Amino acid sequence: MISSFFIASALLISLLAFLFGDPKKIFGAGLVLASILFSNIVIRLYKFVILDELHTALVYLSVDALIVMILFSVFRHRSEVTTSRWAIIVAGLHLAMIGVHLLFVIKLTEISLLSYVVSLNALLSLALAVLFICFLPRNLDEAYSIINVKLFYLKLDISRILKGRFRRQGVLRLAFVSTDEAKAIQKLIGRRLRLARIQKHLTCSDVAKAMNVEQSTISRIENGERRINAADLVVLSRYYGVDMQFFIGGIDSGMKTAKPIGPS
Protein backbone atom coordinates (compact mmCIF):
# COMPACT_ATOMS: atom_id res chain seq x y z
CA MET A 1 0.00 0.00 0.00
CA ILE A 2 2.77 2.43 1.00
CA SER A 3 4.91 1.52 -2.00
CA SER A 4 1.94 2.12 -4.32
CA PHE A 5 1.50 5.57 -2.77
CA PHE A 6 5.15 6.44 -3.36
CA ILE A 7 5.06 5.20 -6.96
CA ALA A 8 1.84 7.13 -7.68
CA SER A 9 3.33 10.28 -6.10
CA ALA A 10 6.55 9.95 -8.11
CA LEU A 11 4.54 9.46 -11.31
CA LEU A 12 2.53 12.61 -10.55
CA ILE A 13 5.73 14.58 -9.91
CA SER A 14 7.21 13.24 -13.16
CA LEU A 15 4.09 14.44 -14.99
CA LEU A 16 4.41 17.90 -13.40
CA ALA A 17 8.07 18.04 -14.38
CA PHE A 18 7.25 17.04 -17.95
CA LEU A 19 4.44 19.60 -18.25
CA PHE A 20 5.95 22.56 -16.42
CA GLY A 21 9.60 21.82 -15.65
CA ASP A 22 12.94 22.21 -17.37
CA PRO A 23 15.18 19.28 -18.37
CA LYS A 24 16.84 19.28 -14.94
CA LYS A 25 13.50 18.87 -13.19
CA ILE A 26 12.45 16.14 -15.60
CA PHE A 27 15.73 14.35 -14.92
CA GLY A 28 15.33 14.80 -11.14
CA ALA A 29 11.78 13.46 -11.16
CA GLY A 30 12.85 10.49 -13.28
CA LEU A 31 15.73 9.79 -10.90
CA VAL A 32 13.46 9.71 -7.85
CA LEU A 33 10.90 7.56 -9.67
CA ALA A 34 13.61 5.12 -10.75
CA SER A 35 14.95 4.89 -7.18
CA ILE A 36 11.46 4.12 -5.83
CA LEU A 37 10.88 1.42 -8.44
CA PHE A 38 14.31 -0.06 -7.66
CA SER A 39 13.49 0.00 -3.94
CA ASN A 40 10.37 -2.04 -4.64
CA ILE A 41 12.48 -4.62 -6.44
CA VAL A 42 14.80 -4.80 -3.43
CA ILE A 43 11.79 -5.27 -1.13
CA ARG A 44 10.63 -8.19 -3.26
CA LEU A 45 14.10 -9.75 -3.02
CA TYR A 46 14.02 -9.30 0.77
CA LYS A 47 10.60 -10.95 1.02
CA PHE A 48 11.89 -13.91 -0.97
CA VAL A 49 14.82 -14.18 1.49
CA ILE A 50 17.34 -13.42 -1.26
CA LEU A 51 18.62 -10.46 0.77
CA ASP A 52 18.79 -10.19 4.57
CA GLU A 53 18.17 -6.99 6.55
CA LEU A 54 21.83 -5.95 6.60
CA HIS A 55 22.41 -6.38 2.88
CA THR A 56 19.09 -4.70 2.06
CA ALA A 57 20.15 -1.65 4.09
CA LEU A 58 23.52 -1.59 2.32
CA VAL A 59 21.82 -1.65 -1.09
CA TYR A 60 19.56 1.24 -0.07
CA LEU A 61 22.57 3.16 1.29
CA SER A 62 24.41 2.76 -2.03
CA VAL A 63 21.39 3.94 -4.04
CA ASP A 64 20.86 6.99 -1.83
CA ALA A 65 24.57 7.86 -2.02
CA LEU A 66 24.37 7.76 -5.83
CA ILE A 67 21.28 9.99 -5.79
CA VAL A 68 23.03 12.51 -3.53
CA MET A 69 26.04 12.73 -5.87
CA ILE A 70 23.83 13.23 -8.93
CA LEU A 71 21.67 15.89 -7.24
CA PHE A 72 24.75 17.75 -6.02
CA SER A 73 25.97 17.76 -9.62
CA VAL A 74 22.63 19.19 -10.77
CA PHE A 75 22.81 21.91 -8.11
CA ARG A 76 26.44 22.71 -8.95
CA HIS A 77 25.46 23.54 -12.54
CA ARG A 78 22.82 26.06 -11.44
CA SER A 79 22.60 29.54 -12.87
CA GLU A 80 21.61 32.92 -11.46
CA VAL A 81 17.97 32.47 -12.49
CA THR A 82 17.68 28.66 -12.21
CA THR A 83 18.95 28.03 -8.70
CA SER A 84 17.82 24.37 -8.53
CA ARG A 85 17.13 24.72 -4.80
CA TRP A 86 14.92 21.64 -4.99
CA ALA A 87 18.00 19.56 -5.88
CA ILE A 88 20.01 20.58 -2.81
CA ILE A 89 17.02 20.11 -0.47
CA VAL A 90 16.25 16.63 -1.81
CA ALA A 91 19.96 15.77 -1.68
CA GLY A 92 19.97 16.82 1.99
CA LEU A 93 16.99 14.56 2.72
CA HIS A 94 18.75 11.65 1.02
CA LEU A 95 21.83 12.39 3.13
CA ALA A 96 19.56 12.02 6.16
CA MET A 97 18.41 8.67 4.74
CA ILE A 98 22.06 7.60 4.48
CA GLY A 99 22.43 8.47 8.17
CA VAL A 100 19.46 6.24 9.01
CA HIS A 101 20.97 3.41 6.94
CA LEU A 102 24.29 3.75 8.77
CA LEU A 103 22.59 3.68 12.16
CA PHE A 104 20.76 0.52 11.16
CA VAL A 105 23.87 -1.16 9.76
CA ILE A 106 26.32 -0.19 12.50
CA LYS A 107 23.92 -0.55 15.46
CA LEU A 108 21.71 -3.30 14.13
CA THR A 109 20.51 -4.43 17.58
CA GLU A 110 19.70 -0.92 18.88
CA ILE A 111 17.30 0.30 16.19
CA SER A 112 14.25 -1.75 15.32
CA LEU A 113 13.30 -2.61 11.76
CA LEU A 114 10.01 -0.73 12.25
CA SER A 115 11.79 2.47 13.32
CA TYR A 116 14.17 2.11 10.39
CA VAL A 117 11.35 1.74 7.84
CA VAL A 118 9.21 4.53 9.36
CA SER A 119 12.16 6.96 9.35
CA LEU A 120 12.95 6.24 5.70
CA ASN A 121 9.30 6.57 4.64
CA ALA A 122 9.01 9.89 6.47
CA LEU A 123 12.13 11.29 4.78
CA LEU A 124 11.03 10.05 1.36
CA SER A 125 7.61 11.64 1.88
CA LEU A 126 9.31 14.95 2.66
CA ALA A 127 11.45 14.66 -0.48
CA LEU A 128 8.37 14.02 -2.64
CA ALA A 129 6.56 16.95 -1.01
CA VAL A 130 9.50 19.26 -1.80
CA LEU A 131 9.53 18.14 -5.44
CA PHE A 132 5.76 18.55 -5.73
CA ILE A 133 5.83 22.10 -4.36
CA CYS A 134 8.88 23.16 -6.39
CA PHE A 135 7.57 21.71 -9.66
CA LEU A 136 4.16 23.37 -9.50
CA PRO A 137 3.76 26.54 -11.60
CA ARG A 138 3.27 29.73 -9.62
CA ASN A 139 -0.32 30.26 -10.72
CA LEU A 140 -2.95 29.03 -13.15
CA ASP A 141 -2.09 31.70 -15.73
CA GLU A 142 1.51 30.53 -15.82
CA ALA A 143 0.40 26.90 -16.09
CA TYR A 144 -1.89 27.79 -18.99
CA SER A 145 0.86 29.73 -20.73
CA ILE A 146 3.41 26.90 -20.42
CA ILE A 147 0.99 24.28 -21.74
CA ASN A 148 -0.03 26.66 -24.51
CA VAL A 149 3.59 27.03 -25.66
CA LYS A 150 4.29 23.29 -25.40
CA LEU A 151 1.15 22.44 -27.36
CA PHE A 152 2.12 24.88 -30.07
CA TYR A 153 5.63 23.39 -30.28
CA LEU A 154 4.11 19.90 -30.39
CA LYS A 155 1.82 20.95 -33.23
CA LEU A 156 4.82 22.44 -35.04
CA ASP A 157 6.91 19.27 -34.62
CA ILE A 158 4.05 17.05 -35.79
CA SER A 159 3.64 19.32 -38.83
CA ARG A 160 7.30 18.91 -39.73
CA ILE A 161 7.11 15.12 -39.39
CA LEU A 162 3.97 14.89 -41.50
CA LYS A 163 5.35 17.19 -44.16
CA GLY A 164 8.55 15.18 -44.42
CA ARG A 165 6.70 11.89 -44.64
CA PHE A 166 4.17 13.11 -47.22
CA ARG A 167 6.97 14.66 -49.28
CA ARG A 168 8.83 11.33 -49.43
CA GLN A 169 5.66 9.47 -50.38
CA GLY A 170 4.76 12.03 -53.07
CA VAL A 171 1.26 12.67 -51.73
CA LEU A 172 -0.60 15.78 -50.63
CA ARG A 173 1.19 17.48 -47.74
CA LEU A 174 -1.06 18.37 -44.84
CA ALA A 175 0.39 20.55 -42.08
CA PHE A 176 -1.08 22.13 -38.99
CA VAL A 177 1.46 24.97 -39.07
CA SER A 178 3.26 26.15 -42.18
CA THR A 179 7.02 26.71 -42.12
CA ASP A 180 6.61 30.43 -42.80
CA GLU A 181 4.06 30.74 -40.00
CA ALA A 182 6.34 28.93 -37.57
CA LYS A 183 9.30 31.17 -38.42
CA ALA A 184 7.15 34.28 -38.09
CA ILE A 185 5.94 33.22 -34.63
CA GLN A 186 9.50 32.35 -33.59
CA LYS A 187 10.65 35.83 -34.64
CA LEU A 188 7.66 37.39 -32.90
CA ILE A 189 8.57 35.76 -29.59
CA GLY A 190 12.20 36.80 -30.13
CA ARG A 191 11.22 40.45 -30.67
CA ARG A 192 9.14 40.40 -27.50
CA LEU A 193 12.04 38.88 -25.55
CA ARG A 194 14.36 41.61 -26.84
CA LEU A 195 11.87 44.32 -25.88
CA ALA A 196 11.50 42.90 -22.35
CA ARG A 197 15.29 42.76 -21.96
CA ILE A 198 15.73 46.35 -23.16
CA GLN A 199 13.00 47.55 -20.79
CA LYS A 200 14.99 46.00 -17.91
CA HIS A 201 18.15 47.78 -19.16
CA LEU A 202 19.96 44.47 -19.64
CA THR A 203 22.40 43.39 -22.35
CA CYS A 204 22.50 40.01 -24.07
CA SER A 205 25.68 39.37 -22.10
CA ASP A 206 23.83 40.01 -18.81
CA VAL A 207 21.06 37.58 -19.70
CA ALA A 208 23.49 34.93 -20.99
CA LYS A 209 25.45 35.11 -17.74
CA ALA A 210 22.28 34.85 -15.67
CA MET A 211 21.06 31.87 -17.72
CA ASN A 212 24.52 30.24 -17.81
CA VAL A 213 24.48 30.02 -21.62
CA GLU A 214 26.49 31.52 -24.47
CA GLN A 215 25.70 35.10 -25.48
CA SER A 216 25.18 33.88 -29.04
CA THR A 217 22.34 31.67 -27.79
CA ILE A 218 20.41 34.67 -26.47
CA SER A 219 21.10 36.63 -29.65
CA ARG A 220 19.88 33.78 -31.88
CA ILE A 221 16.69 33.41 -29.83
CA GLU A 222 15.95 37.14 -30.03
CA ASN A 223 16.63 37.13 -33.77
CA GLY A 224 14.21 34.26 -34.26
CA GLU A 225 16.98 31.90 -35.39
CA ARG A 226 16.58 29.52 -32.46
CA ARG A 227 13.44 28.28 -30.72
CA ILE A 228 13.24 28.89 -26.99
CA ASN A 229 11.68 26.08 -24.97
CA ALA A 230 8.73 26.67 -22.67
CA ALA A 231 10.73 26.19 -19.45
CA ASP A 232 13.31 28.85 -20.43
CA LEU A 233 10.51 31.19 -21.47
CA VAL A 234 9.07 30.89 -17.95
CA VAL A 235 12.50 31.58 -16.44
CA LEU A 236 12.96 34.70 -18.58
CA SER A 237 9.44 35.95 -17.85
CA ARG A 238 10.28 35.82 -14.14
CA TYR A 239 13.71 37.34 -14.69
CA TYR A 240 12.27 40.23 -16.71
CA GLY A 241 9.28 40.62 -14.38
CA VAL A 242 6.65 40.29 -17.10
CA ASP A 243 3.71 37.96 -17.61
CA MET A 244 4.09 34.99 -19.95
CA GLN A 245 1.25 36.35 -22.07
CA PHE A 246 3.52 39.24 -23.01
CA PHE A 247 5.57 36.75 -25.03
CA ILE A 248 2.93 34.34 -26.33
CA GLY A 249 -0.20 36.45 -26.61
CA GLY A 250 -1.92 35.52 -29.86
CA ILE A 251 0.23 32.58 -30.95
CA ASP A 252 -2.40 30.02 -29.92
CA SER A 253 -4.73 31.54 -32.52
CA GLY A 254 -2.09 31.62 -35.22
CA MET A 255 -0.46 34.52 -37.00
CA LYS A 256 -3.79 36.06 -37.90
CA THR A 257 -4.14 37.34 -34.35
CA ALA A 258 -0.48 37.52 -33.31
CA LYS A 259 0.77 41.05 -33.69
CA PRO A 260 4.25 42.36 -32.88
CA ILE A 261 4.73 44.26 -29.63
CA GLY A 262 7.24 47.07 -29.61
CA PRO A 263 9.95 47.79 -32.16
CA SER A 264 10.98 45.11 -34.61
Side-chain angles (χ1 to χ4, degrees):
M1 186 69 173
I2 294 178
S3 62
S4 299
F5 167 76
F6 285 140
I7 291 174
S9 299
L11 285 171
L12 176 60
I13 290 169
S14 298
L15 178 62
L16 287 175
F18 176 75
L19 290 176
F20 307 116
D22 54 28
K24 288 183 179 179
K25 289 183 177 180
I26 295 173
F27 174 76
L31 179 67
V32 172
L33 175 59
S35 70
I36 292 173
L37 293 174
F38 180 77
S39 297
N40 277 269
I41 295 174
V42 174
I43 291 172
R44 299 296 183 274
L45 294 177
Y46 172 73
K47 287 183 177 179
F48 285 111
V49 202
I50 297 176
L51 291 173
D52 57 18
E53 293 176 356
L54 177 60
H55 288 91
T56 300
L58 288 172
V59 171
Y60 284 151
L61 190 154
S62 301
V63 172
D64 285 328
L66 179 63
I67 291 173
V68 167
M69 288 189 293
I70 293 174
L71 290 177
F72 269 123
S73 177
V74 170
F75 180 72
R76 192 174 70 251
H77 291 88
R78 67 192 182 279
S79 67
E80 181 182 328
V81 291
T82 54
T83 56
S84 298
R85 284 189 294 266
W86 60 270
I88 197 66
I89 295 173
V90 175
L93 290 169
H94 278 278
L95 276 174
M97 292 182 197
I98 292 175
V100 174
H101 295 314
L102 288 173
L103 284 175
F104 187 72
V105 170
I106 297 171
K107 301 178 180 180
L108 189 58
T109 58
E110 297 184 21
I111 179 172
S112 67
L113 180 60
L114 178 61
S115 299
Y116 171 67
V117 172
V118 169
S119 299
L120 290 178
N121 286 340
L123 289 168
L124 181 56
S125 298
L126 282 174
L128 291 173
V130 168
L131 291 175
F132 182 79
I133 293 171
C134 291
F135 289 5
L136 280 175
R138 291 187 174 181
N139 51 58
L140 290 177
D141 288 338
E142 184 176 278
Y144 170 78
S145 298
I146 296 171
I147 292 177
N148 193 27
V149 173
K150 289 197 171 185
L151 285 176
F152 170 74
Y153 285 165
L154 178 63
K155 184 169 70 170
L156 176 60
D157 292 336
I158 291 174
S159 298
R160 288 176 176 172
I161 293 171
L162 291 178
K163 286 177 68 177
R165 179 171 298 178
F166 290 148
R167 183 183 295 113
R168 289 194 300 270
Q169 294 177 355
V171 297
L172 181 64
R173 292 179 293 172
L174 301 175
F176 298 106
V177 182
S178 69
T179 302
D180 290 341
E181 183 182 16
K183 288 181 179 179
I185 293 176
Q186 195 165 294
K187 289 184 178 180
L188 170 66
I189 294 175
R191 287 199 297 269
R192 293 176 175 183
L193 284 166
R194 182 186 292 114
L195 178 60
R197 173 178 59 77
I198 293 172
Q199 288 177 340
K200 290 289 288 185
H201 306 290
L202 296 168
T203 65
C204 283
S205 178
D206 295 331
V207 179
K209 184 178 180 181
M211 294 284 289
N212 196 21
V213 298
E214 297 291 334
Q215 181 176 336
S216 59
T217 300
I218 301 300
S219 297
R220 290 182 64 200
I221 289 173
E222 291 187 354
N223 290 331
E225 299 170 3
R226 175 170 175 161
R227 187 171 82 180
I228 183 171
N229 63 51
D232 286 341
L233 198 57
V234 172
V235 169
L236 286 177
S237 73
R238 293 174 180 174
Y239 185 55
Y240 294 148
V242 297
D243 190 87
M244 278 277 286
Q245 285 300 317
F246 177 83
F247 301 120
I248 66 168
I251 70 168
D252 56 329
S253 302
M255 290 305 298
K256 291 180 181 179
T257 58
K259 298 183 182 299
I261 294 180
S264 57

